Amino acid sequence: MAEPEALTDPELSAPAPAWRPGDPRPDVASMLRVDQAGEYGATRIYAGQMAVFGDRQPCAPLIARMAAQEQRHLQHFDALLAERGVRPTLLQPLWNVAGHALGAATALIGPEAAMACTAAIEDEIDEHYSEQLTALGGDEPELAATIAEFQADEREHRDSAIAAGAEDSFGYPLIYAAIRAGCRVAIELSKRI
Ligand SMILES: [Fe+2]
Ligand SMILES: [Fe+2]
């Protein structure tokens, strides 16, 4: 039974540090795997949107700019996987097809829906990267700096998508919630498989 005085120990009511001696170390291989998968999925989503929009839409340059940044993120995680001998997710062929389909489908609904897709995904990725930074604590400072840098890009994508009318999309709350939920499932699967 717990000592009653332990419950009033101020150390216990303080916010928990990211890691204490004896805790399991963060699973960096799993982190790299899911991050590479996410950046890969992002490139596929924008490819699907660009396939629908071509350069006819006013939002095309914004999408092209975000896609180029996702490509840079992906190349970085590709290199880290190779460097550390971490295999990519086995679900890559699925994210190839599903990402492109999601991008094309949202673009077919309209430019605002394409922006709603970005807003939903980037909110999820923002949280995901925050969780990883917390889990890393002081470990892997170089990786943490990379994640923080990419997280800033993803937040900027989200803000650009909102500014470009994401919230004016038909069915925005539904699209937003569905895509975030799908994104969460994809993240959990890519950590493990
Ligand atoms: Fe990214
Ligand atoms: Fe992004």
Side-chain angles (χ1 to χ4, degrees):
M1 200 165 161
E3 294 293 324
E5 61 269 27
L7 296 173
T8 58
D9 182 342
E11 244 194 88
L12 289 181
S13 54
W19 180 85
R20 291 174 192 238
D23 285 351
R25 307 303 298 178
D27 184 349
V28 174
S30 163
M31 285 186 184
L32 294 176
R33 181 173 300 124
V34 66
D35 291 354
Q36 190 268 353
E39 299 296 351
Y40 175 71
T43 63
R44 297 302 298 151
I45 290 168
Y46 288 130
Q49 293 182 343
M50 290 191 291
V52 171
F53 288 144
D55 50 13
R56 297 182 306 276
Q57 284 289 340
C59 65
L62 169 61
I63 294 176
R65 181 176 65 76
M66 296 192 292
Q69 282 179 318
E70 304 301 0
Q71 193 61 44
R72 189 175 75 83
H73 298 170
L74 173 61
Q75 279 167 355
H76 197 96
F77 282 116
D78 279 345
L80 283 177
L81 288 192
E83 222 174 80
R84 300 188 184 211
V86 176
R87 66 160 177 81
T89 174
L90 298 172
L91 298 172
Q92 192 134 334
L94 178 60
W95 305 146
N96 176 6
V97 174
H100 197 275
L102 176 63
T106 50
L108 285 169
I109 299 172
E112 289 83 11
M115 294 298 131
C117 175
T118 293
I121 286 179
E122 302 297 20
D123 273 343
E124 197 59 42
I125 300 305
D126 181 22
E127 269 187 35
H128 165 73
Y129 279 150
S130 286
E131 282 168 20
Q132 285 195 338
L133 289 172
T134 302
L136 285 173
D139 284 357
E140 299 269 358
E142 208 176 311
L143 175 60
T146 296
I147 291 173
E149 182 198 328
F150 292 178
Q151 181 182 39
D153 289 342
E154 313 302 7
R155 286 177 176 168
E156 192 271 324
H157 295 172
R158 187 252 334 272
D159 294 345
S160 299
I162 299 283
E167 291 167 335
D168 301 328
S169 164
F170 172 78
Y172 178 72
L174 187 66
I175 291 179
Y176 179 87
I179 292 178
R180 275 200 74 160
C183 194
R184 262 197 299 279
V185 172
I187 287 172
E188 289 309 314
L189 288 173
S190 301
K191 280 181 191 170
R192 292 170 172 80
I193 301 177

